[in-house]
Amino acid sequence: ARELAKPPFGVLRTVGITDKFDPVFLNEKFYGHAGEFNGPMQGLKLPPGEYKLKVTDAKGSTLKEDTIKIEADKTLVVKVQ
């Protein structure tokens, strides 16, 4: 069985999304849709570190691409557009 990640975590939030179904990728792996990470009480918990973020529209066109740094016990808010 895989071992679960252990705290501390950081949190990624997305704002300025065009469609709640815009796919969110970290290090080229699909993590969910932008609408899952854009509310005040929402976010994606991640281990601290650097990640390659990419948000696309449903057709695959890139809306945002950047290297981000997640810090323990902090929330990083990324504006998509």
Side-chain angles (χ1 to χ4, degrees), residues 13-17 53 55 63-64 76-81:
R13 277 191 52 217
T14 55
V15 297
I17 60 174
L53 169 72
V55 181
L63 301 173
K64 176 79 173 183
L76 175 65
V77 179
V78 175
K79 185 173 181 181
V80 175
Q81 289 193 329

Side-chain angles (χ1 to χ4, degrees), residues 13 16 18 31 40 46 57 67 72:
R13 277 191 52 217
T18 55
Y31 270 77
L46 295 164
D57 63 18
T67 299

Side-chain angles (χ1 to χ4, degrees), residues 4-72:
L4 296 176
K6 293 183 173 75
F9 295 109
V11 176
L12 170 65
R13 277 191 52 217
T14 55
V15 297
I17 60 174
T18 55
D19 186 323
K20 67 181 183 179
F21 295 112
D22 290 341
V24 176
F25 299 88
L26 293 170
N27 297 339
E28 301 183 21
K29 181 179 176 187
F30 175 74
Y31 270 77
H33 297 100
E36 298 175 82
F37 314 126
N38 72 333
M41 300 304 290
Q42 294 175 305
L44 176 61
K45 287 184 178 179
L46 295 164
E50 284 195 358
Y51 297 86
K52 181 180 176 189
L53 169 72
K54 184 175 183 179
V55 181
T56 67
D57 63 18
K59 296 178 183 176
S61 297
T62 300
L63 301 173
K64 176 79 173 183
E65 193 166 15
D66 204 356
T67 299
I68 60 170
K69 184 175 183 179
I70 299 295
E71 297 182 48

